[in-house]
Amino acid sequence: MSAEPIDAELARRLAALVGLSLDAGRASEQARLLAAELAQVRLLEQLDLEGVEPACSFELATERE
Amino acid sequence: MGSELAYLSVCEAAELLRSRRLSPRELVGACLERIESLNPRLNAFITVTAEPARAAAARAEAEIHRGAYRGPLHGIPFALKDLFATRGVRTTAGSKVLADWVPDHDSAAGERLAAAGAILVGKTNTHEFAFGATTLNPHYGPARNPWDPERVPGGSSGGSAVALAAGMCALALGSDTGGSIRLPAALTGTVGLKPTYGRVSRFGVVPLSWSQDHVGPMARTVRDAALGLNAIAGYDPRDPASVKRSVPDFTDELERGVAGLRLGLLREQLELPTDPEVEAAVRATVARLEALGAQVKEVSFPEHAQALAAGSAILLAEAASVHERWLRERAEEYGEDVRTRLEQGALLPALVYVRAQRARRLLIARFNRLFEQVDVVLSPAAPVPAPRLDQPMLTLDGETSDARGVLLRNTRLYDVLGLPALSVPCGVTRAGLPIGLQVAGRAFDEATVLRVGYAVEQSGGWSARRPTAGASPA
């Protein structure tokens, strides 16, 4: 995952790409939250996911049998 | 008399109803009286279905009198989290967005309870769209904890837990995506079971995170929760994740005891900051189970932090997708906390979501290996007792964190893994607040989870306590 800093303008533009409008305050808050979330999911880079396909809801239950 | 009736367990009430020593009208009437008296203070219900409930009670009475007794839920008053669709009855999901939605269908689980003869008394308060841990609802007001009305009941199924703890119904349903059944159960001294993913149909329940949403029973006793699961479990073609698998009678093994069972204490959850009174209650309960013949050992799941990270990313992304259109068109109608989290999910890169789902598959396989060593895994259901209504941040061991993250820290794991997990009362703080023990088990082995929960309940007696602060009629 890129370590590029996330600022309010980037958050605002990302939101606009998916049709959301963020004012300055919300954009600033989303920049902070996105950075925190990306830092947290970076933990997943410690797992060796080579050859592992994503789980999906349709099979989550049955593959436990 | 009203409160004595309203606090009958499902089993106790069923025996009285079956033998016609109690009528469904009396029982439903007692619950409706409690709701009328206590709901203005506790705000457990968004909608009360008093008249339909009275009519259904009269029908149930007639059926029982002519010998058409349907079983232990016949005539039992129950509540549905207002996330469950109810035909002809407003279903808000705790939101302004759905404030006027009157569905033309019932949820599968609600339908099954009704088919078993249970009687809906109302729709309970929830964190908006089930997306939160407190049931501080900006549109319908906060649900309040009957043990101390200045404290939250937990969430998101907070209203269902309050209704049970305050004797407003005998059984309730909740949904659990990060702990929303077990957390409010723990904070209100009630019992909440999140079944295995696929065990209970999610049809007709407003989704939050498709791959982590679970529907389950909430009750005042473990046996009642088992009876609730008996009624709602089973294949439903309307839910693509529903599993074709036989459904046992979940009460069958309750009394087998814990002698010989292998119980694992989950190291990673116990090592995280935990309120000392919660930890002491959990350890005392585990010692009691050991004295009853269980074998106890510590087990480790080193990928615990990764599992929580994966769960959070999946939840955010799926919730944003569920709400994509409304978020674009009606963002101002959401409460501030939920809107912020939905926007957060909308900005998350696809790569992160896929990585989380890949990690999840690996984590499920790794966690399942623990069941070679133990039969169930134990931990505190919540690391803290119920926070105050005005306490958005919690401090534990000198570390201050967002209350939501702390409250759901021990429960979220089992939504990621899809495994069955129960919260059962196991103690009380000096301030009189309930403490819950979490019991998690193998996929589709709810029977063993309930069996351990029953042993906790029988050996501790905590489920018999009743709140006084907020649950006495004014």
Side-chain angles (χ1 to χ4, degrees):
Chain A
M1 209 60 60
S2 163
E4 194 75 20
I6 299 162
D7 60 16
E9 177 55 18
L10 178 56
R12 192 192 63 73
R13 290 173 67 181
L14 278 174
L17 282 175
V18 291
L20 300 179
S21 169
L22 301 183
D23 63 22
R26 303 195 75 82
S28 171
E29 174 68 353
Q30 286 303 332
R32 186 186 69 76
L33 291 170
L34 184 56
E37 190 64 26
L38 292 179
Q40 186 175 264
V41 295
R42 213 160 281 141
L43 281 172
L44 302 182
E45 292 174 11
Q46 296 166 7
L47 301 173
D48 179 5
L49 297 177
E50 188 64 37
V52 180
E53 293 193 17
C56 80
S57 61
F58 303 99
E59 62 180 7
L60 271 169
T62 48
E63 75 179 20
R64 285 176 177 75
E65 297 203 56
Chain B
M1 184 62 184
S3 87
E4 285 167 37
L5 286 184
Y7 273 118
L8 288 173
S9 71
V10 171
C11 292
E12 291 164 340
E15 180 50 30
L16 294 172
L17 290 166
R18 190 192 59 77
S19 59
R20 298 196 221 166
R21 283 176 287 162
L22 173 66
S23 80
R25 283 197 294 184
E26 285 175 279
L27 184 58
V28 166
C31 289
L32 291 173
E33 270 178 36
R34 298 275 296 176
I35 293 171
E36 190 177 349
S37 160
L38 296 172
N39 202 51
R41 198 182 330 163
L42 298 176
N43 207 19
F45 287 86
I46 291 176
T47 301
V48 180
T49 53
E51 287 318 308
R54 287 196 178 96
R59 285 195 301 274
E61 189 167 319
E63 286 174 0
I64 293 171
H65 271 260
R66 69 165 189 266
Y69 181 65
R70 297 193 211 175
L73 298 188
H74 202 171
I76 298 294
F78 78 100
L80 280 177
K81 183 179 188 176
D82 205 19
L83 205 66
F84 290 63
T86 37
R87 188 173 50 189
V89 176
R90 180 175 79 137
T91 299
T92 69
S95 72
K96 189 173 174 186
V97 172
L98 293 180
D100 300 315
W101 183 41
V102 179
D104 60 1
H105 62 284
D106 283 312
S107 67
E111 198 174 65
R112 287 184 186 217
L113 283 186
I119 295 168
L120 179 70
V121 292
K123 308 291 298 290
T124 54
N125 204 348
T126 166
H127 207 105
E128 183 180 10
F129 284 116
F131 206 178
T134 58
T135 319
L136 290 170
N137 188 303
H139 312 295
Y140 303 95
R144 291 172 181 265
N145 195 318
W147 296 92
D148 177 351
E150 294 308 309
R151 293 179 183 271
V152 301
S156 61
S157 312
S160 289
V162 173
L164 288 162
M168 298 163 157
C169 61
L171 185 68
L173 294 185
S175 66
D176 191 315
T177 305
S180 288
I181 286 174
R182 292 158 289 155
L183 174 66
L187 301 192
T188 61
T190 55
V191 175
L193 173 66
K194 181 196 82 67
T196 311
Y197 188 79
R199 177 67 99 179
V200 177
S201 173
R202 304 161 305 161
F203 174 78
V205 179
V206 176
L208 174 61
S209 168
W210 295 287
S211 72
Q212 298 188 93
D213 290 341
H214 300 72
V215 167
M218 302 173 76
R220 282 191 292 269
T221 71
V222 172
R223 185 179 292 276
D224 289 357
L227 287 172
L229 184 60
N230 278 352
I232 63 176
Y235 177 65
D236 178 9
R238 297 170 296 180
D239 175 354
S242 180
V243 174
K244 278 184 185 166
R245 195 181 172 102
S246 63
V247 177
D249 182 337
F250 293 102
T251 65
D252 276 352
E253 295 193 23
L254 290 180
E255 294 181 23
R256 282 184 61 197
V258 290
L261 278 183
R262 301 167 304 164
L263 316 182
L265 273 168
L266 189 55
R267 180 183 304 157
E268 283 72 20
Q269 295 197 336
L270 287 166
E271 282 177 348
L272 289 167
T274 301
D275 180 278
E277 289 188 90
V278 170
E279 182 172 351
V282 166
R283 290 200 183 275
T285 301
V286 171
R288 275 203 313 277
L289 296 175
E290 198 165 17
L292 290 169
Q295 299 164 35
V296 179
K297 68 183 289 189
E298 199 166 277
V299 292
S300 176
F301 181 53
E303 296 89 355
H304 184 258
Q306 280 93 341
L308 298 196
S312 173
I314 293 165
L315 169 62
L316 288 170
E318 293 187 358
S321 179
V322 168
H323 288 268
E324 183 179 356
R325 186 167 165 192
W326 287 333
L327 194 57
R328 272 199 211 116
E329 297 172 0
R330 305 171 67 174
E332 69 290 346
E333 293 180 39
Y334 286 88
E336 182 56 34
D337 64 328
V338 171
R339 177 180 174 181
T340 297
R341 300 198 73 213
L342 290 173
E343 287 172 345
Q344 191 185 350
L347 303 194
L348 216 53
L351 186 65
V352 166
Y353 176 74
V354 175
R355 175 176 293 165
Q357 288 287 26
R358 293 176 71 194
R360 186 180 192 183
R361 182 179 290 245
L362 189 77
L363 295 167
I364 290 168
R366 289 197 182 162
F367 193 92
N368 281 340
R369 284 190 214 142
L370 289 183
F371 292 116
E372 293 165 12
Q373 304 172 51
V374 293
D375 299 303
V376 294
V377 178
L378 309 177
S379 62
V384 291
R388 294 191 314 273
L389 296 168
D390 61 355
Q391 210 174 356
M393 306 295 284
L394 295 174
T395 301
L396 273 174
D397 288 0
E399 196 178 304
T400 299
S401 320
D402 175 67
R404 186 191 64 247
V406 173
L407 290 168
L408 299 175
R409 189 194 76 198
N410 292 353
T411 49
R412 183 182 298 287
L413 174 65
Y414 299 109
D415 294 286
V416 177
L417 303 173
L419 299 176
L422 173 83
S423 178
V424 59
C426 75
V428 60
T429 67
R430 284 189 299 275
L433 298 172
I435 297 168
L437 175 75
Q438 180 169 238
V439 184
R442 296 180 181 88
F444 298 104
D445 192 13
E446 288 87 356
T448 303
V449 167
L450 288 160
R451 174 180 163 192
V452 174
Y454 186 78
V456 170
E457 183 179 80
Q458 296 301 305
S459 64
W462 302 107
S463 296
R465 292 174 69 245
R466 301 284 170 254
T468 50
S472 302

